[in-house]
Amino acid sequence: MRFQSTRGQAPELGFDDVLLTGLARDGGLYLPVTWPERSAEEWRAMRELSYADLATAVTQPFLAGSTIEADLPEIMKEAYSPFDHPAVAPMVQLGANTWLMELYHGPTLAFKDYALQVVGHLFDRVLSAKKERITIVGATSGDTGSAAIAACAGREAVDIIIMHPKGRVSEVQRRQMTTVDASNVHNVAIDGTFDDCQALVKSMFNDQTFRDELHLSAVNSINWARIMCQTVYYAYAALALGGPDRPVAFAVPTGNFGNAFAGYCASRMGLPIASFLVGSNRNDILTRYFKTGEMTIEGVQPSLSPAMDIQISSNFERLLFEAYGRDGNAVTRLMDGLHQSGRYTVEPAPREAIASQFTGSRLCDEQTKAFIRSTYETTGQLIDPHTAVGVHAAQNSDLDQAIPKVILSTAHPAKFPDAVESAIGIRPELPPAMAGLYDLQERYDELPNNLKQVQDYVRAHSRV
Ligand SMILES: *Cc1c(COP(=O)(O)O)cnc(C)c1O
């Protein structure tokens, strides 16, 4: 399979290069040149598959021509074996026709494991086939760093250096990163904010000499491989609820729009999905867009669902590319506008195309607690603040009652114990496999917010 950039100026690449490159050279994001659509009959035949086998079946066409194509079944089996539920992504029924899909049974208790566990294996295999190494550098405010570390720990061809703002991530999140005992994992607490950490990463990537010297790579959600892996749980849910012979709807708490876009991919691959009910917190750039057709940047404010505290939803660019009939120039114009004036307006036809599948709703912190409470009182299910945003998006919709709704639960409640406790007075407990988290030895270094010192550190700890 070949992949093209949403800005239309970068060369088409095969899977292996798309995996290692992440962002396209023209600033765009990669998408497959065609959608591998499956017939209803082909989908039906996948109903009986285990999660790992379904992951192979769904993602195989994207790896056509890759050096590691034949390894895919084994990669998927290995990637999902550490998950702590036999179904990998189990669903619980919340109401007459509403389901919650628990996407928190991976090693770090958030949905990012579902893609990053696979991506860690993909990196390792592609790099050993090419006899290359890379250095991953990243900044995290919490979930991404721990999921990336869990995915890369012990991988022969990868060194990973994750910076977090000192004293500004939750204890669970910090411990999930710093207690990983692997010689290729390096945690750095930066004396600064999350924005400072991100600026350091950006500067390292903009320093071409340094970037080439260390084979820098990133694992953020603009990487196509992550999106590809996330389409699998949409298929898993749809098939379990009668798809492809019956449409389903999904409620998705989203920030960067990666998760919602993965659902769109599943629909392009032939699964009938009636609607995506997109939920945001007070940082509501997306839900404002769905109301007005205009994307306008505002400042970021901290919320109870910090993984969705974003200024721009980067992955929305992929949906725009589709809605504009794959016109890279049109997407470039919109993104230039966003860069220059902090806004763009989507034209009527593409806006209509998007509105036919997506709606948005916003939930403030006070109501987030109210939804954690009401969900617990009516169903007994403990949910985290991100999931509460999804529950609200599902309840707030005027979708036909006959269509089953699946709410994606993106984090385990014990990952955000303070918010849950302040909502219902119960402190959620970590699953048994993680119970020792507070006793494990932490390992991390501290550095000032200084580019030169950080670069020296990366150089000293990379094996490239
Ligand atoms: C990352 C994250 C999100 C947002 O995911 P997107 O891909 O930006 O839509 C939601 N919830 C949790 C718990 C997360 O970690």
Side-chain angles (χ1 to χ4, degrees), residues 109-112 143-144 221 226-227 230 252-261 305-308 310 315 384 386-387 409-412 415-416:
L109 311 180
F111 86 99
K112 292 188 173 71
D143 290 341
T144 306
S221 76
R226 281 183 63 175
I227 304 287
Q230 289 172 228
V252 191
T254 195
N256 220 351
F257 203 66
N259 203 0
F261 187 77
S305 40
M308 307 196 304
I310 48 92
N315 268 294
D384 97 292
H386 302 81
T387 305
S409 180
T410 52
H412 192 286
K415 235 185 151 169
F416 300 93

Side-chain angles (χ1 to χ4, degrees), residues 390-408:
V391 170
H392 169 256
Q395 290 188 5
N396 199 34
S397 87
D398 49 15
L399 201 70
D400 180 348
Q401 298 285 330
I403 297 174
K405 281 184 251 176
V406 181
I407 300 154
L408 299 186

